[in-house]
Amino acid sequence: MKKAIYFFLLIGTLSLILLVGEQYFFRIDLTQEKRYTLSSGTKTLLARLPQAVYVTVYLEGDFPYPIQRYRRAVETMLAEMRAIAPKPFNYTFVNPARHPDLLRLFKARGVQPIPIDVRVSQTETRRQYMYPIAVMRCGQQDIWIDLIKGHLRPTGEIDLLEAEQEIEYKLAAGLRQIAVYGEKPLLGMLTGHGEYTLDKMPQLRAELERFYRILPVSVKRGQALAPAKAYLPETLQKKLQGEGFAALLVIGPESTFTEREKYEIEQYLLRGGRVLWLLDHHRINLSEGSTLTFLRELNLDDLFFRWGWRPAYDLVQDLSCGYIEVVRGTYDGPIWGAEKWIYYPIVYLFPPHPITRTVDAVLYRYAGSVDTISREGVHHTILAMSSPLSRSVKGTQVIDLNLSVKNPPTPESFRGKGFRPMAVLSEGWFVSVFRDREPPTDEYAPLPPSARFLPASGLPGKVLWITDGELALPAEVQGRAADYVPLDNLTFILNCIDYLTGETTLTQVRSRSLQMRRLHPQILRSYSVLIQLLNLCLPLLLMTGFGIGLSLWRRHIYRRSLL
């Protein structure tokens, strides 16, 4: 009777657990760093999905174990997303080698395969090609995601352990393009100084218009700029009309800023605004093959100095550089070719920061450098630095394309002069350069400012300077810098804008870091035979010992029962 009661209690308990499990979904992550738990930013993006999402991952194939391990990590992350997503979220893995149409599509979209050598015997290897692409589809929208981007080394080797840390971010970035955000934040594009327009930057324009509304603005006539309401306290949000600017973009100015323009831009920053500067101080025109450089008079020195920036008014030369087109000869017309050009630095040294975490390399053109000065309440972060084999040249320079290509400088002339800062982010509480001065007026803005003057930051602001005004322009050279170095100018600028505008969903995912526990290569080489023996023999010994112990225990029990 007692056994029957225990049996029915067990059945009832299990049934109750199953009923509760159907109503309340939960998962338990037992890893120390919560590797299999999605960040809050990813959960927010999944909750915003407008309809069903289908993900196709082209990582199927007979690959070596490290790639198979990475594939399982991608599948695990997709399974976590499917378990949490309120809308249908399905995924599948496809081997593109079995679908010629897919290979033609990859080629048309510029997707470069990654060669993988697979060992089939002790003396034979077989070359396969991997396409680490995931396509996320929602309705009529297809988002292509490069899962390995940012982790391909100059040697052609893939750091799969680092790439595994970025799986969630790569997928979350795709989800962000799908998720509905309602009214898009407003970006201001400063005009009036010969700045580049978005028509000259079609790729940047296409990417920005996915997430932002863009409005050309001019402050020459004393137009005050209001920061986005999202940066302001709730008490101020209710009083202000309009949404305000999430960030102000200043891309490649050519002419002088008036004092009133500087005043309005600075007051925008002191009210909690965010400003992105893409500018350099040298004006160069190589259309004739040689030129004399001269400085742009922008009248921004006092403003930058108060923020903690000291422009070097130089040109950075770097042996890690891109290419420029040159005439190599004539035959029924000029014969064009590509030569390395030290005035086109390829920057690949970045700090571990959310802006630069997935950036491989960035191409600068005729860029300078900047030094930082300590300012109370302001935190500076150097976001990009030139290579160890780089140098800074100051003053007026005569640049002759043919002469420089024929007589390139030696590496010895660069040693010990590198690591020049080429992008700086400053965050915190700033002090006005007009603190002890009257608010300026001029012929364009003869009336005093209508908004209340702030002598210092009322809210923390952010300002970022990239020392190249052409960074967002498409590269106009035919030569390829290197097959293994993708240029991430667009990614770098978009990350800067996202960070400045406070895109918290992706920032939360970017800032997450998982500890990948690597095996020590020296120990593996020194004790490879012992490790193999332990892997082969230890499980057999354990199973044999368990079997013998179980047999002895059963014999002991039976002997006691007979007695």
Side-chain angles (χ1 to χ4, degrees), residues 350-358 381 383 425 427 499 510:
F350 306 104
H353 191 275
I355 290 177
T356 58
R357 188 169 177 182
T358 58
T381 303
L383 292 177
L425 167 69
E427 306 171 271
Y499 184 83
R510 285 192 189 105

Side-chain angles (χ1 to χ4, degrees), residues 91-162:
Y91 59 88
T92 183
F93 284 77
V94 174
N95 186 351
R98 298 178 181 176
H99 302 275
D101 293 341
L102 278 175
L103 299 181
R104 287 192 288 270
L105 176 61
F106 288 158
K107 185 176 181 180
R109 292 187 64 95
V111 176
Q112 297 294 328
I114 298 177
I116 303 294
D117 291 327
V118 181
R119 183 177 296 276
V120 295
S121 66
Q122 292 293 333
T123 58
E124 183 182 357
T125 59
R126 181 179 70 251
R127 170 152 290 191
Q128 293 185 198
Y129 292 93
M130 180 176 69
Y131 295 85
I133 298 297
V135 178
M136 192 172 288
R137 175 170 296 175
C138 182
Q140 300 299 317
Q141 188 177 16
D142 286 350
I143 308 299
W144 287 61
I145 304 169
D146 189 340
L147 297 171
I148 300 297
K149 186 174 181 59
H151 306 286
L152 191 60
R153 298 290 175 256
T155 59
E157 181 183 359
I158 307 171
D159 195 330
L160 290 172
L161 291 179
E162 285 189 6

Side-chain angles (χ1 to χ4, degrees), residues 329-535:
T330 57
Y331 184 80
D332 292 335
I335 300 175
W336 292 90
E339 295 287 347
K340 298 192 75 173
W341 188 233
I342 58 175
Y343 291 97
Y344 283 1
I346 291 182
V347 176
Y348 58 87
L349 297 178
F350 306 104
H353 191 275
I355 290 177
T356 58
R357 188 169 177 182
T358 58
V359 176
D360 282 309
V362 175
L363 175 67
Y364 281 68
R365 283 165 282 190
Y366 304 114
S369 62
V370 55
D371 295 318
T372 58
I373 308 169
S374 177
R375 290 287 182 260
E376 185 178 356
V378 178
H379 175 69
H380 300 302
T381 303
I382 301 298
L383 292 177
M385 300 185 72
S386 61
S387 78
L389 292 178
S390 63
R391 66 185 182 186
S392 170
V393 292
K394 297 185 178 182
T396 302
Q397 301 290 319
V398 177
I399 300 179
D400 190 306
L401 179 59
N402 294 321
L403 184 62
S404 299
V405 169
K406 291 178 182 178
N407 301 288
T410 61
E412 286 72 21
S413 61
F414 288 81
R415 298 191 188 280
K417 302 177 182 178
F419 303 111
R420 296 299 304 161
M422 302 183 73
V424 59
L425 167 69
S426 298
E427 306 171 271
W429 304 81
F430 300 88
V431 176
S432 174
V433 74
F434 299 93
R435 187 169 189 169
D436 300 320
R437 298 159 54 185
E438 289 292 329
T441 59
D442 55 33
E443 58 179 323
Y444 301 103
L447 299 178
S450 57
R452 183 173 65 90
F453 170 69
L454 291 181
S457 290
L459 294 169
K462 300 179 182 180
V463 59
L464 196 157
W465 181 16
I466 300 174
T467 62
D468 179 14
E470 301 181 3
L471 195 80
L473 296 182
E476 297 178 354
V477 294
Q478 297 177 359
R480 301 175 64 184
D483 290 338
Y484 51 81
V485 180
L487 298 176
D488 289 329
N489 291 37
L490 183 62
T491 302
F492 183 47
I493 295 173
L494 291 173
N495 286 354
C496 290
I497 296 173
D498 284 345
Y499 184 83
L500 290 176
T501 58
E503 177 47 58
T504 57
T505 53
L506 283 186
T507 302
Q508 290 167 357
V509 182
R510 285 192 189 105
S511 59
R512 185 182 184 189
S513 179
L514 301 179
Q515 182 182 0
M516 308 304 294
R517 297 171 177 84
R518 302 172 183 263
L519 298 177
H520 198 290
Q522 183 62 37
I523 295 178
L524 290 177
R525 286 192 294 267
S526 302
Y527 301 97
S528 58
V529 176
L530 177 61
I531 293 172
Q532 292 174 2
L533 288 175
L534 288 175
N535 286 334

Side-chain angles (χ1 to χ4, degrees), residues 253-317:
E254 288 276 349
S255 60
T256 302
F257 284 73
T258 66
E259 293 297 303
R260 182 58 175 269
E261 289 175 306
K262 291 160 51 178
Y263 175 88
E264 298 296 349
I265 293 173
E266 185 201 57
Q267 289 295 299
Y268 165 74
L269 176 65
L270 299 184
R271 296 186 186 104
R274 288 89 197 275
V275 187
L276 173 62
W277 297 85
L278 273 70
L279 65 87
D280 49 57
H281 286 91
H282 278 272
R283 185 176 297 168
I284 297 172
N285 183 5
L286 269 182
S287 58
E288 300 298 328
S290 62
T291 187
L292 182 68
T293 67
F294 60 95
L295 292 176
R296 293 186 175 95
E297 295 294 338
L298 299 177
N299 189 31
L300 295 171
D301 290 7
D302 55 346
L303 199 64
F304 287 179
F305 187 79
R306 184 59 61 92
W307 294 345
W309 298 346
R310 183 164 51 199
Y313 299 103
D314 62 344
L315 283 171
V316 174
Q317 298 176 342

Side-chain angles (χ1 to χ4, degrees), residues 29-43:
D29 188 351
L30 300 179
T31 59
Q32 181 178 359
E33 64 272 15
K34 300 301 178 183
R35 180 176 302 179
Y36 304 107
T37 301
L38 298 178
S39 66
S40 58
T42 303
K43 293 177 181 178

